[in-house]
Amino acid sequence: MTEEPTDPDFELIDRILKGEKDKYELLIRKYNQRLYRIAKAILWSEDRIEDAMQDAYIKAYGKLAAFEQRSSFSTWITRILINECLMKKRENKDIVTLSTDEELRRLNLKAEAPNPEKKVLNKELKNLLENAISGLPEKYRLVFVLREIENMGVTETGESLEISEGNVKARLSRAKEMLRNNLMSVYPANELLDFNLVRCDRIVKGVYAGI
């Protein structure tokens, strides 16, 4: 019988627990982009986003020995990050004020095939789309980011948010409806909410200062 390949994250965790603390940086850099996008879907404040990410990584590091590998590390760290963000949001009473419907009505965008003229407006359209995403109610915004931007599966999304797969599908459908599908075709979703290298280095430094 052919053995299933070992999850490389589990191998890293095993090495970290055996004393190779520096290997934790590999996990941090691997998931920084995902955690940044998810945190931004909840907080939308750069300082608080980075604080939440660092706190999530530090908490995860402290609990690595108790991680039973019944779910993937990516799902586990995502749940920790979401809980951390929600806690910070309650503490700071973050309120997203942008309105998707108002932005879309104001610009009155129409569904058209991309052309060279539209390429010139990509940056503006990208900003518009990010604003539109920020205007979604949080429960729809989170599902949209996990499924459409991070390309997480229905099952993993449900596990991360602790909701049923049916709810994941329903919320994603509603999110797309509110964003209006023609707007989503303007800019590649996987290039949104980029996590740059400078921020990545800063997160790594902050996590290691905390552990």
Side-chain angles (χ1 to χ4, degrees):
M1 179 180 292
T2 303
E3 293 185 3
E4 293 185 3
T6 304
D7 187 322
D9 288 352
F10 295 166
E11 293 181 350
L12 281 175
I13 290 170
D14 184 56
R15 294 176 67 178
I16 293 165
L17 292 175
K18 288 179 179 177
E20 296 184 55
K21 182 178 178 180
D22 61 306
K23 298 302 180 185
Y24 196 53
E25 179 177 343
L26 299 178
L27 290 175
I28 295 171
R29 292 187 181 277
K30 180 177 180 179
Y31 291 107
N32 265 343
Q33 179 78 277
R34 169 182 288 191
L35 297 197
Y36 172 75
R37 287 167 166 168
I38 295 170
K40 192 162 186 176
I42 300 173
L43 297 174
W44 290 93
S45 165
E46 295 296 331
D47 291 340
R48 292 175 192 166
I49 287 169
E50 293 193 8
D51 285 346
M53 291 174 65
Q54 289 183 19
D55 290 347
Y57 281 125
I58 291 170
K59 286 187 176 181
Y61 183 85
K63 297 178 180 178
L64 273 184
F67 176 51
E68 298 179 352
Q69 302 182 3
R70 286 182 291 190
S71 64
S72 65
F73 177 80
S74 63
T75 300
W76 187 62
I77 190 66
T78 295
R79 281 202 300 264
I80 293 174
L81 184 276
I82 290 173
N83 289 334
E84 201 63 34
C85 289
L86 293 175
M87 181 179 69
K88 291 185 184 300
K89 182 178 179 181
R90 287 192 295 269
E91 291 173 352
N92 295 287
K93 296 182 174 59
D94 283 1
I95 299 176
V96 176
T97 58
L98 293 171
S99 168
T100 303
D101 290 339
E102 288 178 5
E103 286 290 327
L104 292 174
R105 280 198 298 269
R106 179 173 66 82
L107 291 171
N108 191 28
L109 293 177
K110 298 179 180 179
E112 297 176 359
N115 55 51
E117 288 73 22
K118 282 189 176 181
K119 296 288 186 180
V120 178
L121 300 176
N122 267 352
K123 183 176 181 180
E124 289 78 6
L125 292 171
K126 178 184 175 184
N127 290 336
L128 170 64
L129 181 52
E130 290 186 351
N131 287 341
I133 293 171
S134 77
L136 290 173
E138 183 178 284
K139 66 180 183 179
Y140 300 117
R141 187 167 66 245
L142 270 172
V143 168
F144 181 84
V145 169
L146 294 177
R147 291 284 289 117
E148 294 298 308
I149 297 179
E150 279 305 304
N151 294 313
M152 290 171 60
V154 174
T155 299
E156 186 177 7
T157 298
E159 290 176 354
S160 297
L161 299 177
E162 298 181 319
I163 60 176
S164 69
E165 292 185 12
N167 267 333
V168 171
K169 294 175 182 178
R171 291 182 187 184
L172 179 60
S173 177
R174 178 60 178 148
K176 287 182 176 181
E177 178 184 348
M178 287 189 284
L179 285 171
R180 301 187 183 181
N181 291 335
N182 63 317
L183 181 59
M184 292 308 304
S185 68
V186 174
Y187 205 92
N190 62 5
E191 294 184 22
L192 294 175
L193 309 180
D194 291 335
F195 190 91
N196 62 43
L197 182 59
V198 172
R199 186 181 282 114
C200 191
D201 291 339
R202 191 161 61 240
I203 291 293
V204 169
K205 182 178 180 180
V207 171
Y208 272 83
I211 63 177

